[in-house]
Amino acid sequence: MRDFRSIKHVLVSALIITSGTAFAAGPMNAASHPPLMEVVAEWNRLPYDLGDAQAEQAYDSNQTYKKVLLQGVKVDSKGTMYVSTARWGGPDVPATLSKLVQKKGRWELQPFPNVAMNKVGDRQALQSVLGFEIDRNDVMWILDQGHIAGQPSTPGAEKLVLWNLKTNREIQRYEFNDADSDKKCSFLNDVVVDNDRGFAYITDSGIFCDHLHGGLIVYDQKTNRARRVLDQTVFTTDEADFHFRIDNEPVLGKTPMRTGADGIALSGDKRTLYWTNLSGHTLYSLDTALLRDFHTSESTLRTAVKRVATRPSNTDGMIADRQGNLYMTALEMNGLMFRDAKTGAISTYAIHPEMAWPDTLSWTPDGSLYAVSGHLNKWVDNAMDFDHPAVPNFRIWKIEANDRSYTAK
């Protein structure tokens, strides 16, 4: 494994002016002190610790690893890493949520909370997890997409499960009804958590139909109910004629990728929700007080949406710190962007040519960021080499940030 501990990466420093938004050369002192970056885990193919030698052998011999992608990473208060592997490749993906464990000198994926809770077809179990969050109380908010390989979800499959990591038990769940999500079209993507008021906010990319069915979902933990908002609006769908490239190659060149509401972040004071559409450059926001009031009309919400900025790259994952600054993955730039909460200026933050398709971001207990890079562009084009890729297919990066999670008190 390569060691990036001593490498300081040069930031992209050009000043870009787009739609009235300035893009400067990094936050604070970034020009003189670029953030340190290191790879803490990497794989060409993802290995599982299933507690069953025959199952592990079958996983390798059947080349099931070609169906498994690393998407999300989150870290608990003890520094334990958890990862999501949504079952986009089919039902034989061994687990969709896992804890990383060291085995024979390498990191392996151990089904979490256990094998049974990852059983395909079991309404109580996790079917296809992409987005999840660990809050300040070490409660994991698990967002289950429900869809297996893009097929319509079965009853109870699309759900939000709250799992207490300290007691290792489920404490609450909510199954999304037909008003919350479309069981054919929805693509429940990511979730952020407001511990202060007991709310969560979810993006739905809506990719599984010919037309995008994007939207946001607001979840009230105290009443265990949800409400879908901004359904199939300009704020939750792709931008016209949007095409993007990674490593100078078009993503889905024959059929341009169309994805609605995706990246989502909650400000440190919990007053502002930010989100983006993957197929677009616009950063949107809404006052959470309006979203928390389920009596707020849809027309009022649409009028209140703010177009915060036009960014130099589209974004998949994003996250805020306690001060309200935003960190956003930059797919077209192979790295991260930063939005200063005080000035609104957006700058490049950490760029590396091998950080291909940076996805989820997570805060660590020491105030650093973890980021997944997973070469999704290669997988969707059926071009991923699982044996001898030029760069490891899946990586978890640690990036210097020196701050606290938005969930902190």
Side-chain angles (χ1 to χ4, degrees), residues 378-399:
K378 291 187 177 295
W379 190 80
V380 296
D381 274 329
N382 198 31
M384 183 170 279
D385 181 353
F386 290 90
D387 296 312
H388 305 290
V391 175
N393 290 321
F394 312 110
R395 277 175 166 164
I396 297 176
W397 301 74
K398 186 176 184 180
I399 304 160

Side-chain angles (χ1 to χ4, degrees), residues 86-129:
R87 288 187 168 108
W88 299 343
D92 44 353
V93 173
T96 185
L97 184 66
S98 302
K99 178 171 66 175
L100 290 187
V101 296
Q102 283 278 359
K103 186 177 180 182
K104 299 179 181 178
R106 67 172 182 172
W107 288 109
E108 297 194 358
L109 282 68
Q110 186 179 87
F112 184 84
N114 47 53
V115 172
M117 268 294 287
N118 281 269
K119 184 179 179 181
V120 172
D122 184 345
R123 180 174 183 153
Q124 297 300 311
L126 303 173
Q127 301 304 296
S128 188
V129 175

Side-chain angles (χ1 to χ4, degrees), residues 237-379:
T237 190
D238 58 340
E239 296 175 4
D241 301 318
F242 178 84
H243 305 270
F244 72 104
R245 303 173 68 88
I246 292 180
D247 296 334
N248 294 318
E249 296 180 356
V251 178
L252 283 179
K254 296 180 180 179
T255 307
M257 180 174 286
R258 300 187 61 209
T259 306
D262 189 323
I264 190 169
L266 186 61
S267 62
D269 60 12
K270 319 301 186 297
R271 295 179 180 178
T272 306
L273 184 72
Y274 297 92
W275 74 94
T276 66
N277 301 308
L278 181 67
S279 302
H281 288 125
T282 305
L283 175 66
Y284 297 100
S285 75
L286 249 179
D287 187 332
T288 56
L290 295 174
L291 290 167
R292 293 195 308 271
D293 183 355
F294 283 17
H295 296 295
T296 304
S297 68
E298 179 73 11
S299 61
T300 297
L301 291 175
R302 295 186 185 190
T303 301
V305 173
K306 296 179 180 178
R307 289 178 169 84
V308 178
T310 302
R311 298 152 300 132
S313 170
N314 63 332
T315 289
D316 196 335
M318 57 193 295
I319 202 166
D321 62 22
R322 189 64 184 87
Q323 308 305 314
N325 302 306
L326 293 183
Y327 297 81
M328 302 169 283
T329 65
L331 273 62
E332 296 162 292
M333 300 163 66
N334 289 53
L336 307 185
M337 299 175 288
F338 175 91
R339 179 180 184 270
D340 190 296
K342 294 181 179 178
T343 67
I346 295 178
S347 57
T348 55
Y349 186 74
I351 304 296
H352 193 286
E354 295 182 358
M355 189 183 282
W357 201 296
D359 196 330
T360 305
L361 298 173
S362 176
W363 286 104
T364 67
D366 67 359
S368 300
L369 285 171
Y370 274 6
V372 165
S373 61
H375 289 88
L376 178 59
N377 51 311
K378 291 187 177 295
W379 190 80

Side-chain angles (χ1 to χ4, degrees), residues 27-252:
M28 300 173 287
N29 287 336
S32 60
H33 176 54
L36 295 174
M37 303 171 67
E38 65 172 301
V39 173
V40 297
E42 65 181 16
W43 308 265
N44 292 337
R45 58 180 73 165
L46 294 171
Y48 276 92
D49 172 18
L50 300 174
D52 182 331
Q54 288 186 335
E56 292 169 6
Q57 183 178 4
Y59 173 77
D60 287 329
S61 60
N62 295 334
Q63 298 187 350
T64 305
Y65 54 79
K66 292 184 177 181
K67 301 179 180 182
V68 187
L69 296 171
L70 185 69
Q71 292 118 355
V73 62
K74 294 293 175 180
V75 186
D76 67 16
S77 63
K78 296 181 179 179
T80 303
M81 293 183 286
Y82 303 83
V83 296
S84 60
T85 50
R87 288 187 168 108
W88 299 343
D92 44 353
V93 173
T96 185
L97 184 66
S98 302
K99 178 171 66 175
L100 290 187
V101 296
Q102 283 278 359
K103 186 177 180 182
K104 299 179 181 178
R106 67 172 182 172
W107 288 109
E108 297 194 358
L109 282 68
Q110 186 179 87
F112 184 84
N114 47 53
V115 172
M117 268 294 287
N118 281 269
K119 184 179 179 181
V120 172
D122 184 345
R123 180 174 183 153
Q124 297 300 311
L126 303 173
Q127 301 304 296
S128 188
V129 175
L130 174 59
F132 65 111
E133 181 63 288
I134 299 175
D135 69 19
R136 67 189 184 209
N137 301 315
D138 267 349
V139 172
M140 182 184 288
W141 298 61
I142 308 167
L143 182 62
D144 193 344
Q145 294 186 325
H147 300 266
I148 306 290
Q151 295 302 305
S153 62
T154 57
E158 294 183 26
K159 55 187 173 287
L160 183 65
V161 177
L162 278 61
W163 192 274
N164 190 320
L165 298 177
K166 295 178 179 178
T167 61
N168 196 31
R169 67 181 182 89
E170 181 179 325
I171 57 176
Q172 191 165 327
R173 77 167 51 198
Y174 178 81
E175 295 182 356
F176 295 103
N177 59 43
D178 290 343
D180 301 326
S181 62
D182 187 302
K183 301 308 177 286
K184 178 181 179 182
C185 303
S186 282
F187 184 86
L188 302 179
N189 197 307
D190 209 351
V191 57
V192 289
V193 177
D194 178 357
N195 283 130
D196 298 337
R197 299 170 182 85
F199 277 80
Y201 305 93
I202 295 162
T203 47
D204 182 352
S205 305
I207 67 171
F208 287 131
C209 287
D210 292 335
H211 64 284
L212 282 183
H213 200 141
L216 303 181
I217 300 172
V218 183
Y219 172 69
D220 183 344
Q221 180 188 7
K222 295 177 182 178
T223 62
N224 201 34
R225 60 182 183 141
R227 181 194 182 193
R228 185 180 184 88
V229 299
L230 303 181
D231 181 52
Q232 300 182 75
T233 64
V234 66
F235 311 115
T236 55
T237 190
D238 58 340
E239 296 175 4
D241 301 318
F242 178 84
H243 305 270
F244 72 104
R245 303 173 68 88
I246 292 180
D247 296 334
N248 294 318
E249 296 180 356
V251 178
L252 283 179

